Amino acid sequence: MEKGQKPDRKLNRRDFIAGMAVTLAAAGAGAAALSPLIRAEEIPPLEDVLQKHYQRLTPEEKKAIFARLEKRILATHGVQATIRDPQPLENAHFAYALNIGRCIGCRKCVYACMKENNLSRDPQIQYIRVLKMKKQGHGIDLESAVHDYPQEEAGDKNYYYMPVQCQQCENPPCVKVCPVKATWREEDGIVVIDYNWCIGCRYCQAACPYHARRFNFAKPRVPGAELNPNMGYLSNRPRFMGVMEKCTFCLHRTRTGRYPACLEVCPTGARKFGDMSDPDSEIRRIVDKERVYVLKQDLGTVPRFYYVFAK
Amino acid sequence: MNNSAAGSSGDKNWGLVLVVPACAVLFILFVVFTLATSDEPTVAQPLEPSWFTPTTARGEDLQNKVMVGSCYLCHAYWTGLPDPDVVRPQFAHSAIQLDHGANDRCYNCHLIQDRNKYTANDGSGIMHTNVEQLCARCHGLIYNDWVAGTHGVQRGQWMTPTAFERQNFKCTHCHDPHAPAFKFEKYTPPPVWPEQIERQRAEAPPPSEKTE
């Protein structure tokens, strides 16, 4: 062989070609492996990556972050948004009641929620799932539950309609499984997510017995014209690809004393929201006087979302 | 084995002849791809405004009832004593179909002397702005619920410094007093679930089977 004859020769033609081939192949393979990154729909800016956990942010840092986010929203959506961070109300304990006897399954809450919380329109993300279940004597035929019944099948007297959303458990399994503590329960009972801290492992989605958490598989898309400019840092600011999100009882509204969007849009008044620690509130009256139950009580999650079985 | 031998020895190096161009092509393809594909995000479809705008069952309906408060137009000149047993008026109000269960007399609700008002228990009138007082006569329990906020919808502030920040809907915003069974037929379409969780639906029996 030539190689054996002249060991000190610099570089022969064959080795050069072979080397080039290997280099090219490596480059090609490497590039192919990395290509998803280059085509990634969203790469977080460095500041976002370096940002601290929400609970460790000082007010000044928050201010800077909010200003940065607002600027970014103006650039991407052309909307001057205001990001606020309402803190839990003192001694408030939010709860929700939903009267199944009255719900007609019109699903307006679902879309009001999408609008209010800037949920991705494409791919569609919805926090509320409305189950349609056949009435069976005095009970419910759970086997017949469907959540994607067509529009024309709403308002059927032979069915119950049961909207399911985040139950804001007092003992939330999703919080327990989060490996990075990106989700936690606030003092007023709302379970929130720091979208910047979430690593998108989806453990919480698996842990939630109510299937209430949603994952951004793709970059969430919201038309700028429809963006709700009244944003809360922990609730409806634009999310990123690869993070979890879920219902927060519209905390940017409820913590400032307003009703959640799903309640306001409900044409039947099946939805009731309020502060459990206020003895005169609607919610307190319902929980005191009506037949209420919670979903999957046996799991010990202690939801703050009550279902009422009354007219 | 044979191939690698051919690649490393022999005059005609077929292996390399194939590999080098293949790699080159791959590389060029990759470069072209990454440069050329600027995936312009498809513009998301906006939601239909009627899907999320709050409406009550009779919202628009009520606005068409221009006659409310102007019954004097005809009834001021009413001469003959009205018949208290009328269930279905003949000429003027033939559009009204009373479907209120046992409550099937016009004058259960409308004041006989003054059509602009509703009948109270003591024979006096209830103005239209207090129409819930009329319903309260017979639906006391529900009226109590309504006052407490558990029947009907409220909009605005749940935490109320002043009552003005809360919008409470009257009974007639949702119930037609003449045919009060709740009717609301503005439904919205089902969700379009992302493909990742499509499997769950495939496991369930197809909806077409169920309806049959």
Side-chain angles (χ1 to χ4, degrees):
Chain A
M1 301 271 285
E2 279 169 293
K3 213 176 176 182
Q5 288 165 353
K6 291 177 184 169
D8 52 345
R9 206 174 130 186
K10 274 186 194 152
L11 188 65
N12 68 22
R13 185 184 158 82
R14 176 175 298 170
D15 283 353
F16 174 74
I17 292 177
M20 276 308 288
V22 170
T23 314
L24 267 180
L34 288 179
S35 65
L37 248 193
I38 292 187
R39 290 210 275 142
E41 294 177 80
E42 200 165 37
I43 296 176
L46 193 63
E47 307 134 302
D48 276 17
V49 178
L50 295 180
Q51 192 175 311
K52 280 193 273 181
H53 189 278
Y54 168 84
Q55 285 169 320
R56 269 186 256 146
L57 292 175
T58 61
E60 296 81 59
E61 281 170 324
K62 276 187 194 170
K63 225 185 211 168
I65 290 170
F66 296 175
R68 197 174 78 216
L69 286 177
E70 280 167 15
K71 225 164 93 196
R72 204 181 301 155
I73 294 164
L74 189 62
T76 53
H77 295 272
V79 174
Q80 182 58 57
T82 41
I83 298 188
R84 292 193 196 82
D85 184 30
Q87 293 304 305
L89 299 172
E90 232 163 87
N91 297 326
H93 213 132
F94 291 148
Y96 210 115
L98 201 151
N99 191 335
I100 303 192
R102 221 176 278 163
C103 179
I104 54 171
C106 68
R107 271 192 294 233
K108 286 193 86 162
C109 49
V110 174
Y111 291 95
C113 170
M114 280 179 86
K115 173 78 176 55
E116 174 69 28
N117 287 306
N118 297 324
L119 294 187
S120 171
R121 313 289 202 265
D122 173 31
Q124 211 175 53
I125 290 188
Q126 299 180 340
Y127 290 166
I128 306 174
R129 232 165 14 122
V130 185
L131 301 179
K132 172 184 170 222
M133 298 172 294
K134 207 164 173 47
K135 281 184 190 169
Q136 201 182 50
H138 294 287
I140 302 178
D141 178 12
L142 287 174
E143 297 286 304
S144 67
V146 282
H147 63 223
D148 49 2
Y149 58 91
Q151 183 166 351
E152 311 79 60
E153 287 181 19
D156 193 329
K157 289 262 179 264
N158 301 320
Y159 289 88
Y160 283 115
Y161 298 90
M162 183 162 95
V164 182
Q165 63 204 75
C166 176
Q167 312 275 314
Q168 314 290 2
C169 309
E170 262 176 51
N171 190 7
C174 52
V175 168
K176 273 186 238 162
V177 298
C178 182
V180 295
K181 290 200 162 47
T183 177
W184 66 95
R185 187 165 171 271
E186 297 260 282
E187 250 147 66
D188 52 4
I190 299 181
V191 177
V192 294
I193 302 169
D194 183 349
Y195 305 123
N196 281 71
W197 204 255
C198 173
I199 56 170
C201 68
R202 297 171 63 206
Y203 279 15
C204 52
Q205 192 176 26
C208 176
Y210 307 104
H211 190 35
R213 289 184 163 240
R214 302 282 180 270
F215 185 68
N216 283 288
F217 281 102
K219 187 182 156 96
R221 296 205 177 95
V222 184
E226 268 193 16
L227 202 74
N228 174 12
N230 169 21
M231 293 181 188
Y233 185 76
L234 290 175
S235 58
N236 65 342
R237 70 176 162 123
R239 265 78 58 179
F240 321 105
M241 178 172 154
V243 303
M244 296 303 303
E245 55 178 298
K246 67 170 199 63
C247 159
T248 56
F249 278 176
C250 286
L251 65 82
H252 52 285
R253 294 170 69 110
T254 47
R255 281 185 183 170
T256 54
R258 291 169 69 201
Y259 281 114
C262 49
L263 185 150
E264 292 216 339
V265 81
C266 180
T268 67
R271 290 171 167 268
K272 295 290 162 198
F273 171 85
D275 178 3
M276 279 293 268
S277 52
D278 172 5
D280 302 325
S281 61
E282 299 113 78
I283 184 84
R284 189 65 181 272
R285 187 182 152 98
I286 291 176
V287 173
D288 282 352
K289 302 210 164 134
E290 303 281 356
R291 284 188 298 159
V292 298
Y293 72 95
V294 295
L295 256 188
K296 304 194 183 175
Q297 187 185 19
D298 44 330
L299 295 180
T301 51
V302 198
R304 306 296 303 189
F305 197 102
Y306 301 96
Y307 288 94
V308 187
F309 230 141
K311 258 290 179 176
Chain B
M1 190 64 207
N2 227 356
N3 270 355
S4 70
S8 57
S9 66
D11 296 358
K12 301 227 167 106
N13 209 334
W14 287 111
L16 281 189
V17 168
L18 289 180
V19 167
V20 173
C23 287
V25 165
L26 268 182
F27 188 72
I28 289 166
L29 259 184
F30 165 72
V31 170
V32 168
F33 248 106
T34 47
L35 291 186
T37 50
S38 58
D39 14 336
E40 194 50 45
T42 47
V43 183
Q45 280 294 311
L47 300 175
E48 184 110 7
S50 67
W51 294 350
F52 57 80
T53 42
T55 41
T56 53
R58 299 182 70 213
E60 306 135 38
D61 215 25
L62 261 184
Q63 282 165 12
N64 300 333
K65 299 236 184 279
V66 283
M67 273 165 99
V68 173
S70 54
C71 316
Y72 281 143
L73 272 179
C74 303
H75 285 280
Y77 310 107
W78 191 260
T79 44
L81 241 187
D83 172 8
D85 281 341
V86 167
V87 175
R88 175 70 55 81
Q90 301 300 308
F91 332 102
H93 310 305
S94 51
I96 288 173
Q97 303 254 336
L98 211 51
D99 179 19
H100 200 138
N103 176 19
D104 60 355
R105 295 289 181 274
C106 307
Y107 298 115
N108 281 351
C109 297
H110 290 284
L111 195 62
I112 212 158
Q113 314 87 312
D114 182 352
R115 304 292 157 112
N116 281 337
K117 293 186 181 156
Y118 307 116
T119 332
N121 277 339
D122 58 359
S124 62
I126 298 170
M127 297 301 291
H128 183 67
T129 43
N130 303 327
V131 65
E132 71 276 6
Q133 300 290 343
L134 165 69
C135 314
R137 282 174 51 213
C138 304
H139 300 290
L141 290 177
I142 295 215
Y143 173 75
N144 288 347
D145 279 353
W146 180 82
V147 170
T150 60
H151 190 99
V153 273
Q154 288 79 36
R155 293 187 188 139
Q157 299 273 114
W158 61 266
M159 204 166 52
T160 36
T162 63
F164 295 108
E165 279 160 359
R166 184 185 284 192
Q167 188 186 5
N168 199 352
F169 287 89
K170 303 263 163 161
C171 317
T172 50
H173 280 112
C174 297
H175 300 285
D176 183 339
H178 301 135
F182 186 80
K183 295 174 215 78
F184 188 79
E185 272 163 19
K186 293 179 194 113
Y187 306 133
T188 57
V192 183
W193 290 87
E195 254 148 50
Q196 280 85 351
I197 50 176
E198 199 82 330
R199 191 167 55 89
Q200 290 175 336
R201 197 199 306 177
E203 280 164 1
S208 54
E209 272 179 30
K210 207 161 276 166
T211 46
E212 279 156 22

